[in-house]
Amino acid sequence: MKKIRVLALILSAFAVSTLIFPSYAYASSDDHGYTYRYDYWEDVQDSPDVFAVNESYTSADLGLEIPMKNPQGLYAHDDRIYICDTGNNRIVELTRDDGNHLSFTRFIDSFSGGEGANTFASPTDIAISDNGNIFIADQGNARILKLDKDLNYIMEFGKPDDTALDKSLVFQPYKIVIDTAERVYCVARGINKGLCKYEQDGTFSGFIGALPATYNLWDYLWKKIASQEQLAKMNAFVPTEYDNLYMDYEGFIYVVTGNVKEEDLESGQVNAVRKLNLLGNDILVRNGDYDNYGDLYMGDGGGHQGPSLFSDVTVFDNDTYVCLDRNRGRVFGYDDQGRMMFAFGGNGNEDGFFNWAIGIEHIGNDLYILDQQTATIVTFSLTEFGEMVFQAIDEFDHGDYNASGETWKKVMELNGNYDLAYIGIGRSLLRQEKYQEAMDYFEVKYDDENYSKAFKQYRKEWVEDNIVVIVICILALFLVPMSIGRIRKIKHDVDTADIF
Amino acid sequence: MNISAIKDNIKLQKYLDSLKFAFYCMTHPLDGFWDLTHEKRGTYAAANTILILTLIVRVMKLRFTSFLFITVYWEEINIFLYLASVLFPLVLWVFGNWGLTTLFDGKGRLGQVYMATCYGMIPYPVIQIPLMLLSNVVTVDEGSFYVVLSAISLIYAGILIICAMGQIHEFSGAKNILFTVASLFAMLVMVFLLLIFFSMITQGISYIVSLIREMLFRL
């Protein structure tokens, strides 16, 4: 009888829980789901979706008469989205309304004033300053244009005036960003010396942040003994080019490169993502269990092999950044400590899958991803789970540690495999000076740095609380053997004394 | 007290003395390992004890060392394979060393090589047990203590084993080093032969199996 009652209780509890949390019951027919992340052991752990497809827009959906052809650039400014329709030599401006819906506004395909052609040839990127000035990487015309908001010519930036560059090299600006002072940073095709930096007045002021050249020892030794003819056939050790860049709200430039090899990534010689300061030094925090280069498993499947090849990056206001992999059409999110938050996507034609993902942007917490091959723009919004994760990060950043811990606990209820939730709870407990509890959370997820921080404080407290006992123990350790020796000596003296 | 009880008592005393002698070997390697066989100060019981202690410590380390230094993927731990990672090289070493030295005037017998090698392992449990406890009260910044001491325990044991071999075989220093290297090479040769042996066996069995299959198919 008792057994039956317990069984009924369990069943009813289960029924109630499914009623309360119906949306969390995930059933996937595949091997693994849409969203995943790698745990400490670099095993794939399925995760509830962090971002979910909102809508996807083809040229027809946007009402374009001439469909977009080979678009290569995506840019978001305030509530406007700009798509560089490279194949049709125009830029498509879209507006986002309150309901998160995109609609066509205008084409930017010509400008007035200036010398030479006043149309574009294969524009690949656009950037807009706070004053409304429009910067366009006009790749086919070998220039970066600066136009005012009514599309009047202001100036242009040409090939960098640098003696180290090959005279015959045609300047091909590919991706640009501008800072608050309207300085231009440009990734150009065929230039591997880093980003081309132009001052506000249009003068070229140098290259910053070149990727270091990589080589392995064997190649190096081989080059030492190879003949001139052999050397000519070999690849030179040259630094690789960047593929894209993004300026975050603080003015730091995130750069990504898709010219990477598996062995360079795994040995840490090359970083697929870097965060550059004004001097061009990499200041990205890498506290994760593994480096930030997307997929850790690079299996050969579905016609895709090798590492993730990043084509674009965007940075949210909470310092989490999202990289786009054009190889497998995946999206990788990392938090400010460099820990992987989520990975999702894949190759295919369904919503949320890509053929050749080329651009990623964000407005607020919504993601916009451009597919070059299908000329489609897909919008993503945070799911309930994703919003909770972002909320927990924001609360922690704002110093609201109690609330952050509570939110991370809710995240943990939805996904018990989410390592960041455990570490988040631990960090909030650490700030609340509950060291012993914090240590437990860090230990579960093998976070040695944070564990050590908590343990150091815990050890200090423990020593302070037990200082009396410790001192007594140490004294006893010295005094007991000493006094035993003394007693023995006295006894010996007494025994051998010949006063009797 | 009857005779057998006294005998047992003497045996126990001998065992404890020989176990204690391991610590003497640790601090006085040359003198200690000479006496180990020539003065019969060592016993197989003590050698086995040290070996078992080493194995136990090696397994306990997985569980009781702080995760700052050792993280264990328990799903892939096979305790027997893990123990074999000590026992297999030990067996290869003992046979390789004995096989070589016995051809070149080595005075040590097979059992003595085994005993001396086991005695040489004593720094491992002696250092690793306190280290296991220590690991739980340090932070990651102080981790270098752990790493250095852990390395010392292995290097110390290695030096002791080399010294022990020199003493029991009555070799000079240079000859001892030469035969240490040669023994390591002999271990490699034995691994190679074992691999060939097992692959031959596998091939042979599969040949017979396919032959029988073929015959059954034809009949």
Side-chain angles (χ1 to χ4, degrees), chain A residues 226-444:
Chain A
S227 67
Q228 286 297 323
E229 291 82 46
Q230 286 169 322
L231 276 177
K233 283 183 195 162
M234 276 188 233
N235 297 324
F237 301 140
V238 289
T240 47
E241 295 169 38
Y242 288 121
D243 271 54
N244 216 323
L245 73 177
Y246 183 87
M247 182 166 281
D248 74 357
Y249 68 101
E250 289 172 310
F252 293 115
I253 301 173
Y254 284 70
V255 281
V256 290
T257 177
N259 295 310
V260 289
K261 278 180 282 182
E262 187 176 336
E263 60 268 22
D264 289 342
L265 290 174
E266 281 170 355
S267 67
Q269 278 202 49
V270 162
N271 295 312
V273 195
R274 308 174 90 209
K275 180 183 183 180
L276 304 178
N277 63 8
L278 283 175
L279 297 170
N281 297 326
D282 185 9
I283 54 164
L284 192 67
V285 181
R286 294 189 177 84
N287 282 346
D289 296 323
Y290 35 82
D291 217 351
N292 312 346
Y293 53 78
D295 270 323
L296 303 177
Y297 288 131
M298 303 171 187
D300 186 355
H304 300 276
Q305 56 193 16
S308 304
L309 306 175
F310 288 158
S311 57
D312 200 2
V313 59
T314 190
V315 186
F316 287 110
D317 289 346
N318 55 12
D319 280 326
T320 62
Y321 53 97
V322 183
C323 304
L324 188 63
D325 162 26
R326 66 163 185 263
N327 187 11
R328 293 190 182 79
R330 284 183 183 155
V331 180
F332 297 93
Y334 296 95
D335 73 358
D336 58 342
Q337 295 294 309
R339 298 189 182 92
M340 187 186 266
M341 292 167 71
F342 56 81
F344 64 82
N347 288 108
N349 295 319
E350 289 172 65
D351 275 355
F353 292 79
F354 309 100
N355 284 315
W356 191 264
I358 191 76
I360 187 167
E361 274 294 339
H362 75 98
I363 297 178
N365 283 338
D366 293 330
L367 279 179
Y368 298 84
I369 297 177
L370 177 68
D371 190 317
Q372 182 177 349
Q373 203 166 322
T374 56
T376 311
I377 178 166
V378 186
T379 70
F380 287 83
S381 295
L382 285 172
T383 61
E384 193 180 350
F385 176 71
E387 270 182 12
M388 248 175 228
V389 172
F390 272 60
Q391 187 194 335
I393 292 173
D394 287 341
E395 282 165 351
F396 190 86
D397 288 346
H398 296 144
D400 199 354
Y401 304 121
N402 282 341
S404 173
E406 291 305 315
T407 314
W408 278 124
K409 271 183 189 155
K410 281 186 216 153
V411 171
M412 198 167 84
E413 275 168 25
L414 299 195
N415 182 4
N417 280 331
Y418 203 61
D419 293 6
L420 297 189
Y422 292 80
I423 293 167
I425 295 168
R427 284 173 80 189
S428 106
L429 289 169
L430 182 61
R431 296 289 182 142
Q432 295 169 42
E433 305 188 348
K434 294 176 184 166
Y435 302 121
Q436 205 174 354
E437 288 169 64
M439 277 157 56
D440 291 341
Y441 278 100
F442 293 136
E443 186 168 359
V444 171

Side-chain angles (χ1 to χ4, degrees), chain A residues 433 435-436 456-472:
Chain A
E433 305 188 348
Y435 302 121
Q436 205 174 354
K456 207 169 184 174
Q457 297 301 322
Y458 172 70
R459 192 173 59 180
K460 200 171 135 202
E461 275 186 358
W462 188 87
V463 169
E464 279 166 7
D465 290 349
N466 296 293
I467 189 70
V468 180
V469 181
I470 294 169
V471 169
I472 289 173

Side-chain angles (χ1 to χ4, degrees), chain A residues 40-41 43 446 448 452 459, chain B residues 67-68 71 73 137 140 142:
Chain A
Y40 174 82
W41 299 107
D43 286 342
Y446 304 102
D448 46 6
S452 289
R459 192 173 59 180
Chain B
F67 79 97
L68 302 181
T71 52
Y73 193 66
V137 293
V140 85
E142 300 143 7

